[in-house]
Amino acid sequence: MAQQSGVQEVNASANNFIRSIIASDVDAGCTRVVITRFPPEPNGYLHLGHAKSIVLNYELAKEFGGRCNLRLDDTNPAKEKVQYIDAIKRDVQWLGFEWAEGLRFASDYFEQLYAWACHLIHIGKAYVDDQSVHDIREGRGTLTSPGRNSPFRARSVEENAELFARMRAGEFRNGERVLRAKIDMASPNLNLRDPVIYRILNASHPRTGTAWHIYPSYDFAHGQCDAIEEVSHSLCTLEFEDHRPLYDWFLDNLPVPSRPRQFEFARLDMTHTVLSKRVLTELVRDGHVEGWDDPRMPTLAGLRRRGVPAEAVRRFIRGVGVSKANSTVDDSVLDAAIRDVLNEQAPRRMAVLKPLKVTIENYPAGRIEELEAPNHPADASFGTRIVPFSREVYIEQDDFSEVPPRGFRRLAPGREVRLRYGYLVTCHDVVKDAAGRVVELRCTYDPDSGSGAGGGQRKVGATIHWVSAVDALPAEVRLFNRLFTRARPTDLVTDLDPHSMQTLSGCLVERATASDPHGDALQFERQGYFTHDDDSRSGRLVFNRTASLRENPGKSPAAHLDRVRK
Ligand code: ATP
Ligand code: MG
């Protein structure tokens, strides 16, 4: 188990109630080795909520010198796919974690789980029920009324053992019978009213194929898998609090090799998104997004494709903390973590998203000057790059105003601005097309105003970014807004923002970006952070906006690119 960031950060984040429990268990000598696990069900891709569980489990184990297992909870072949198993492995690794001693699967333990179910039958604590799913549900009662004993509850051990063996052998159809634990149909805790522990499912399993016709329930598999792996602290989300008595009941009644304990913490919940695999599956299935790795998705694959560094996800999760009280985190907290990390990590480049041609009339045609630009304003270790300057450059349409409103300090007729890393230019003429749109500016430059020269000190209203015609490469840029318009989406369809993705074509980027590594975000100066999209591999350049530069897009010089966030 390895994790890239420093120990200090691990400690800073780990100060929570679960950490205190583990620390006192270790101090008291009741925990020898701290073993945790992250147990995803391979029925979808991992999202930010899972990241919370991953960071918590792995970092606690690491801090206490123990280990964390990655165990795929593959007990429901009807919904699980190899594609999801592969995605989960990839995403956990991307987040910076390595699982201890090989990948685990609940299906590794199917034989043992079966033997333990037989054990319950033999001690009179499990029975085969022939009732329909409907009748079982009816018989369970409600929070205010007790359940009813099944007419099959009094079956003999021999009959139960024989029927359960026949269930395993595939003699029955789906749903024809189940195995239930015999606990207490009057328990105030519904989970203890004879829960189903095995159901018949004639389906092919990604790992065990057609070897099994019965599969254990989550409740029956989970604690026992924990016990086999000698998990000391089994951390899960609050909705499993009511399952804990059942978790303990199985461990009390079975000859398990160790005695794990379950602790619950609040799920991660965020505004303007959904962290539920069921809902995310619907978004993908119904085509509301372009796949699990759509950059608008809160999945780890989506965030990665958008260009979010794993470090930003870890920082965000650590900052959110762990508690027992449910709360909703504002999505701006994640954006802030992304900006923090990218401000440190992203090399600077120039890109013009909505180009306006500028001809510098007193600059000789054919001449190209190599200007040197630092790759990072605060970190010289990023080095510098050459930005070629020539008679024709492109600037952002919004950096020019023919009739500048009050407070507009950028280019306008008769005004001088600095081209970043280069010269001062003054606008003299505006060229328009037949429709009256400004299509070109005629400017002059001051040859003595290069950023190194004395003229570089002259005060001007603004410094704007640009790309020269000899250097520019065409690119497509995709801008993303939140997937949902409402802070707490309730309706998948009406709450979706139909404009959550905006595609700009005809953008111009510095040539240097073509060889910048895919996956690592760049800062396009004054615009935001951008990353090559996977589609960039096919030869054309496609960039995703990973994050804008500021929280309030209204203040951005390129405000026209941001839709107002509701
Ligand atoms: P979903 O509700 O999205 O389907 P799940 O709990 O069914 O999630 P699993 O694959 O079973 O998905 O989850 C694996 C682990 O991740 C579990 O321990 C679960 O408690 C944890 N987990 C899932 N969602 C969150 C969340 N939003 N915050 C924290 N932990 C989570
Ligand atoms: Mg689950």
Side-chain angles (χ1 to χ4, degrees):
M1 189 198 69
Q3 197 271 109
Q4 291 154 359
S5 59
V7 170
Q8 262 183 328
E9 277 175 325
V10 172
N11 288 338
S13 71
N15 202 2
N16 60 61
F17 77 99
I18 294 180
R19 181 185 182 277
S20 307
I21 292 170
I22 296 180
S24 65
D25 287 347
V26 170
D27 284 348
C30 35
T31 300
R32 220 171 28 85
V33 189
V34 174
I35 303 178
T36 59
R37 85 288 169 267
F38 171 62
E41 192 182 343
N43 60 355
Y45 278 52
L46 300 182
H47 53 62
L48 279 165
H50 297 115
K52 176 172 180 178
S53 177
I54 296 171
V55 171
L56 181 67
N57 278 293
Y58 278 89
E59 294 195 343
L60 282 172
K62 182 188 168 84
E63 185 188 348
F64 288 95
R67 58 179 193 269
C68 179
N69 292 341
L70 174 58
R71 183 206 310 146
L72 290 141
D73 177 17
D74 57 345
T75 52
N76 183 3
K79 287 191 175 165
E80 293 155 9
K81 291 190 193 152
V82 175
Q83 177 207 348
Y84 297 140
I85 296 175
D86 294 341
I88 288 169
K89 287 157 65 178
R90 198 160 54 231
D91 292 345
V92 170
Q93 278 171 327
W94 172 75
L95 201 51
F97 301 99
E98 213 40 80
W99 40 93
E101 295 163 21
L103 190 58
R104 320 285 178 115
F105 290 88
S107 56
D108 294 339
Y109 315 124
F110 276 174
E111 203 61 60
Q112 176 66 77
L113 293 170
Y114 177 79
W116 280 334
C118 294
H119 178 88
L120 287 181
I121 291 174
H122 285 290
I123 60 172
K125 292 193 171 178
Y127 62 97
V128 172
D129 196 338
D130 300 358
Q131 293 183 100
S132 67
V133 177
H134 173 263
D135 289 349
I136 291 177
R137 197 181 305 126
E138 287 275 282
R140 188 169 290 140
T142 65
L143 283 173
T144 49
S145 62
R148 259 194 329 272
N149 282 357
S150 159
F152 302 95
R153 200 173 196 261
R155 267 183 167 142
S156 69
V157 167
E158 292 68 33
E159 192 184 358
N160 280 318
E162 191 217 314
L163 281 172
F164 189 49
R166 290 174 58 198
M167 281 167 64
R168 175 181 182 162
E171 290 188 22
F172 307 115
R173 282 175 320 214
N174 290 355
E176 224 179 309
R177 287 185 166 79
V178 293
L179 184 71
R180 298 176 74 176
K182 193 190 281 190
I183 308 180
D184 178 6
M185 289 306 291
S187 171
N189 183 337
L190 268 70
N191 293 301
L192 295 180
R193 293 185 189 170
D194 292 8
V196 171
I197 61 178
Y198 265 92
R199 60 210 183 292
I200 297 170
L201 194 58
N202 291 294
S204 176
H205 184 281
R207 294 187 75 239
T208 59
T210 51
W212 291 89
H213 300 275
I214 52 173
Y215 291 91
S217 65
Y218 168 86
D219 284 315
F220 187 67
H222 204 83
Q224 280 62 265
C225 291
D226 285 345
I228 294 169
E229 294 180 359
E230 301 187 0
V231 167
S232 57
H233 298 80
S234 181
L235 313 180
C236 62
T237 37
L238 283 178
E239 66 271 24
F240 291 101
E241 200 164 16
D242 287 348
H243 294 239
R244 183 162 18 104
L246 181 56
Y247 183 97
D248 290 334
W249 188 91
F250 288 127
L251 297 174
D252 288 341
N253 284 282
L254 290 170
V256 288
S258 80
R259 186 58 209 244
R261 279 177 307 146
Q262 174 182 302
F263 300 92
E264 307 86 17
F265 62 95
R267 313 170 64 82
L268 176 69
D269 182 30
M270 280 173 77
T271 61
H272 296 99
T273 190
V274 283
L275 297 180
S276 147
K277 250 189 290 184
R278 186 185 54 76
V279 176
L280 297 178
T281 305
E282 273 178 60
L283 288 175
V284 174
R285 190 199 56 206
D286 299 344
H288 297 300
V289 292
E290 287 172 12
W292 283 100
D293 69 345
D294 186 304
R296 293 166 292 179
M297 289 280 273
T299 52
L300 300 185
L303 292 165
R304 178 171 62 236
R305 182 163 181 184
R306 204 173 99 201
V308 173
E311 175 59 22
V313 177
R314 293 193 296 262
R315 248 188 235 185
F316 165 68
I317 296 294
R318 291 182 193 128
V320 162
V322 181
S323 93
K324 251 193 130 63
N326 279 315
S327 65
T328 304
V329 179
D330 200 280
D331 62 347
S332 65
V333 178
L334 174 64
D335 294 341
I338 297 170
R339 277 194 290 267
D340 270 6
V341 173
L342 291 182
N343 185 39
E344 294 161 16
Q345 293 184 352
R348 273 46 172 181
R349 299 285 181 259
M350 291 196 285
V352 174
L353 303 193
K354 294 196 172 170
L356 173 60
K357 183 173 161 183
V358 174
T359 303
I360 301 165
E361 292 181 307
N362 60 339
Y363 197 88
R367 182 156 134 202
I368 296 175
E369 213 169 320
E370 298 197 328
L371 304 175
E372 194 177 12
N375 290 327
H376 197 290
D379 187 342
S381 71
F382 279 72
T384 61
R385 68 190 186 284
I386 296 299
V387 185
F389 183 71
S390 63
R391 183 179 159 90
E392 262 176 31
V393 301
Y394 292 90
I395 65 168
E396 209 67 65
Q397 286 171 16
D398 270 18
D399 281 336
F400 172 78
S401 174
E402 195 176 7
V403 186
R406 252 176 79 95
F408 186 90
R409 296 158 64 86
R410 290 160 275 153
L411 200 58
R415 272 213 208 158
E416 188 176 48
V417 295
R418 176 172 298 287
L419 296 180
R420 187 95 164 117
Y421 311 120
Y423 296 100
L424 297 175
V425 293
T426 305
C427 175
H428 297 289
D429 276 313
V430 175
V431 182
K432 294 183 182 174
D433 66 7
R437 280 185 306 245
V438 177
V439 290
E440 185 186 340
L441 304 178
R442 313 291 291 189
C443 294
T444 54
Y445 87 116
D446 173 355
D448 297 325
S449 67
S451 48
Q457 307 312 318
R458 192 153 80 238
K459 216 166 148 34
V460 288
T463 297
I464 62 176
H465 62 275
W466 53 278
V467 182
S468 75
V470 289
D471 187 45
L473 293 177
E476 176 181 316
V477 171
R478 297 174 186 165
L479 307 178
F480 307 106
N481 281 305
R482 295 152 159 165
L483 207 42
F484 293 98
T485 51
R486 290 172 52 167
R488 291 166 188 278
T490 49
D491 185 303
L492 242 197
V493 178
T494 57
D495 291 346
L496 274 176
D497 182 348
H499 307 292
S500 56
M501 179 163 95
Q502 194 187 343
T503 301
L504 302 177
S505 50
C507 309
L508 295 171
V509 297
E510 263 185 65
R511 190 166 297 263
T513 61
S515 44
D516 283 319
H518 286 235
D520 295 350
L522 305 165
Q523 186 191 102
F524 289 166
E525 295 200 45
R526 302 173 67 235
Q527 300 283 15
Y529 297 99
F530 295 80
T531 307
H532 281 279
D533 185 76
D534 290 347
D535 291 346
S536 231
R537 295 180 199 286
S538 51
R540 62 196 185 111
L541 293 176
V542 181
F543 287 95
N544 293 327
R545 183 170 64 188
T546 310
S548 52
L549 284 181
R550 290 171 196 81
E551 187 177 344
N552 179 355
K555 288 185 188 149
S556 153
H560 63 287
L561 301 171
D562 294 281
R563 292 181 58 260
V564 175
R565 290 182 162 191
K566 280 164 250 166

